Amino acid sequence: MTSASLRPALLRWSCTASSSRRLLSTTASSNAFALASQMLELERQAVQKRITELESMEPKETVKAEIARKHLELEYADVQNHRTFARGQGDITKPIFANMQNKRWRYYYIPRLLKHAEEHRIIGDTLPERIVPEVNVELNFQNTRWNCPYGQPVPPIWTLYSPEIVITTGSEQLRHYTLMLVDLDRPDPDSKSIEEWCHWLVTDIPVQGRLVIPGGSSPLLRAPSEASQTMLAGASFIPAPPAKEPTIPGNVVFPYVPAHPAASNPRKVHRYFLAVLEQPSSTLKLDVEGWGQIAEEATAKLRKAQTKGNTPAYAKSTDGEGERQLKVRERGVPLPLTKFMKDYDLSIKGHGFFSAIWDIHTPYVFSRLGIHEPVYGSIASGNPGVTVRQLETATELVANTPTPLTQLSVDALKGINYAQKPRLSPAKLITQRGVEVANRRIAESAKAEKKGKKAIVESTRSLGKTPRLTVLGAAAVVKNKDGDIARGFQGELVRSVKERRYRFKNV
């Protein structure tokens, strides 16, 4: 037989062998599943028999406890319960699903949380040592489904409203906790350092077994303006405002403030740490008035020193109406977290964190809060005159942009980032070859349209993802925002360039 005549026979044998292997594997798995089901059913019968024996005994506490354990074993032997829990459809109020969740959290999520806490330097920067949480803390915004917050990145706009917090202690004893959300990487231009800043502080939270704190709180947000709505173009998700302000159990000391990391170069990832602190008593007395007095005294002392030293405006923090409403100064007084815990005899029982970084939609959060949006970094120019001219050019380009920044072409975005106005391309010399190419392209497009195909057009470069801005571009965006003090503001550098025309180049 020739090789050509053998090929069909070999192909049929190969297909038959593959089908046999699949049949054998399917049969083996089916037999294994049937055997496992029989063993589980035998186990359920043995457990049920033991429950019947226990129920006939005198109802002592030890007997009741063993009956509860046996009922849990009976539920564990049901395959359907495992399937329901794996799909995320289990009712956590039932003992079987609560036990499954506790095991998953203890043996899977705690190691992952501690590993990521070390990688993000939470341990060392905030926590003095590796602290294993005793309380399960779940944190979810409108567009997240986390079983444990261990550093997942989120766009700042997703945090516009407070997350839903679930605290599970696993004990029916009533305990009271303090909830604190802290930004570990907030820059302070006055002290020229990175400091902790409190985004949310709630005390006297009663927890007995499990407590759900509803999300959607953000009482310090201002009504959105028409100009600010254009900043949302291209956003992957925009959280919806709640129908009414949710009721937060406990005493809200500092209302929730969404994440608003500032633009910076190099880009800075902000870590937002959530701590659940156990209180020594049901009521925690905080010296909030004292914090306000300390903040006022520190501000007055700092402003006096800055006035005497002629500190430029860009090196000062802003104290406007929005900043005073948010209590920007007061929120940093009780921190760092270790100091706060020591001052009020608190012990950390649960923790988690998420991360966020500035993006093109973050200015919307600053606008809703009514506070100035800082930009940290330096413009790559040693000449003050060039720096001022670049900033004014970039500001003008942003002001004259007809479309949102997320819809700009690569060339238009490059112009904003590097303060380059669009230039007309130089006139090309008309040649016979150029005319022939143009006519051929027109003819091919006409033929394509007749055949129902898409016409041939010149390709244009467009942005394939969320655009990034340089320090210059971010500053230009801020200077065009309605309500920001940077709009139309001229600092000492600009005035020195424009008034002292013989020292620097006149712009």
Side-chain angles (χ1 to χ4, degrees):
M1 295 178 67
T2 63
S3 59
S5 60
L6 284 174
R7 286 174 187 170
L10 290 173
L11 182 60
R12 286 194 298 272
W13 178 85
S14 177
C15 294
T16 304
S18 299
S19 301
S20 300
R21 284 196 298 270
R22 285 197 298 268
L23 180 62
L24 288 173
S25 62
T26 303
T27 305
S29 60
S30 300
N31 292 338
F33 180 79
L35 181 61
S37 300
Q38 291 175 7
M39 294 179 64
L40 284 174
E41 184 59 31
L42 292 174
E43 182 181 348
R44 285 175 58 85
Q45 292 176 6
V47 173
Q48 186 63 56
K49 182 179 179 181
R50 178 57 180 165
I51 291 175
T52 305
E53 293 175 357
L54 291 170
E55 289 177 345
S56 63
M57 296 180 182
E58 185 180 351
K60 296 181 180 179
E61 292 298 326
T62 55
V63 174
K64 291 180 180 179
E66 188 174 355
I67 290 176
R69 286 195 299 270
K70 290 300 178 181
H71 274 293
L72 198 60
E73 290 181 18
L74 192 65
E75 295 292 337
Y76 259 104
D78 189 350
V79 178
Q80 188 60 36
N81 287 335
H82 292 271
R83 291 173 178 169
T84 302
F85 182 75
R87 290 194 296 263
Q89 300 173 352
D91 185 0
I92 303 300
T93 58
K94 294 183 178 180
I96 176 61
F97 296 117
N99 192 274
M100 287 181 174
Q101 184 192 40
N102 181 64
K103 282 190 174 182
R104 181 175 63 179
W105 170 71
R106 189 166 299 280
Y107 298 110
Y108 178 76
Y109 284 115
I110 285 183
R112 177 166 289 196
L113 170 62
L114 295 177
K115 176 184 176 182
H116 284 262
E118 289 180 350
E119 292 176 350
H120 287 76
R121 298 187 62 83
I122 299 293
I123 300 174
D125 288 353
T126 304
L127 299 178
E129 58 185 358
R130 184 184 176 97
I131 299 177
V132 178
E134 302 175 14
V135 172
N136 184 4
V137 182
E138 298 177 44
L139 178 151
N140 276 294
F141 295 99
Q142 291 184 18
N143 200 33
T144 62
R145 294 294 181 270
W146 303 332
N147 291 312
C148 176
Y150 49 80
Q152 296 93 329
V154 294
I157 194 173
W158 288 14
T159 70
L160 203 60
Y161 300 98
S162 67
E164 179 186 82
I165 306 292
V166 182
I167 302 174
T168 306
T169 63
S171 172
E172 293 304 317
Q173 182 180 356
L174 179 63
R175 292 185 174 93
H176 291 80
Y177 295 91
T178 291
L179 179 74
M180 178 178 274
L181 180 63
V182 182
D183 181 1
L184 306 180
D185 303 287
R186 186 183 180 92
D188 187 352
D190 295 326
S191 62
K192 297 180 176 59
S193 63
I194 302 296
E195 298 183 354
E196 296 182 9
W197 193 80
C198 181
H199 277 255
W200 199 13
L201 178 58
V202 185
T203 63
D204 309 337
I205 302 175
V207 182
Q208 189 173 12
R210 187 172 185 268
L211 175 69
V212 178
I213 301 176
S217 175
S218 204
L220 299 177
L221 289 181
R222 299 186 178 186
S225 61
E226 294 184 4
S228 65
Q229 293 297 322
T230 59
M231 303 177 190
L232 298 176
S236 60
F237 174 77
I238 302 173
K244 62 177 182 178
E245 184 70 17
T247 302
I248 305 297
N251 176 33
V252 180
V253 179
F254 288 142
Y256 175 79
V257 174
H260 50 281
S264 61
N265 185 18
R267 303 181 79 205
K268 178 72 174 176
V269 177
H270 286 236
R271 301 162 297 171
Y272 296 89
F273 185 75
L274 179 71
V276 175
L277 311 169
E278 187 174 0
Q279 301 177 181
S281 61
S282 60
T283 304
L284 187 65
K285 296 182 180 180
L286 302 178
D287 189 12
V288 181
E289 294 182 0
W291 296 347
Q293 186 176 358
I294 292 173
E296 290 179 3
E297 293 175 355
T299 303
K301 184 178 180 180
L302 184 65
R303 291 290 174 256
K304 185 177 180 181
Q306 290 176 345
T307 303
K308 186 181 295 185
N310 295 322
T311 305
Y314 63 82
K316 302 177 184 177
S317 61
T318 305
D319 287 325
E321 180 184 350
E323 284 77 10
R324 289 191 293 271
Q325 183 183 7
L326 260 65
K327 297 184 178 180
V328 170
R329 295 282 182 183
E330 290 85 339
R331 288 175 181 258
V333 172
L335 298 172
L337 181 63
T338 51
K339 172 181 175 295
F340 178 73
M341 293 167 55
K342 183 178 179 181
D343 290 344
Y344 295 98
D345 193 23
L346 302 172
S347 58
I348 187 165
K349 295 299 181 181
H351 59 85
F353 70 102
F354 63 92
S355 59
I357 192 170
W358 186 92
D359 61 22
I360 201 69
H361 306 295
T362 309
Y364 177 80
V365 182
F366 281 94
S367 296
R368 293 291 305 273
L369 292 173
I371 60 177
H372 167 59
E373 180 180 358
V375 178
Y376 297 99
S378 60
I379 300 175
S381 173
N383 189 327
V386 174
T387 300
V388 172
R389 184 175 69 251
Q390 288 180 337
L391 185 57
E392 290 186 343
T393 301
T395 304
E396 181 183 352
L397 289 173
V398 173
N400 296 330
T401 300
T403 59
L405 296 181
T406 53
Q407 301 175 6
L408 290 180
S409 65
V410 174
D411 295 331
L413 185 66
K414 182 179 179 181
I416 293 174
N417 279 334
Y418 300 101
Q420 297 174 354
K421 291 186 177 181
R423 300 177 182 178
L424 296 175
S425 59
K428 295 182 180 180
L429 181 64
I430 299 177
T431 61
Q432 182 65 30
R433 179 63 177 170
V435 173
E436 291 177 359
V437 171
N439 291 336
R440 188 181 301 117
R441 182 179 291 113
I442 294 172
E444 290 176 354
S445 298
K447 289 180 181 179
E449 289 180 357
K450 287 181 179 180
K451 294 180 180 180
K453 297 181 180 179
K454 195 173 183 180
I456 301 174
V457 296
E458 294 185 3
S459 60
T460 57
R461 295 191 300 165
S462 60
L463 293 171
K465 57 182 180 180
T466 303
R468 289 187 179 182
L469 294 179
T470 60
V471 170
L472 182 64
V477 170
V478 173
K479 288 182 71 66
N480 277 280
K481 282 173 55 180
D482 289 334
D484 200 297
I485 64 169
R487 187 181 179 93
F489 177 78
Q490 291 188 354
E492 289 78 359
L493 179 62
V494 178
R495 286 196 294 270
S496 65
V497 170
K498 294 197 171 186
E499 293 175 3
R500 303 172 69 176
R501 63 177 60 206
Y502 296 107
R503 181 174 179 181
F504 302 119
K505 183 179 178 180
N506 183 19
V507 293

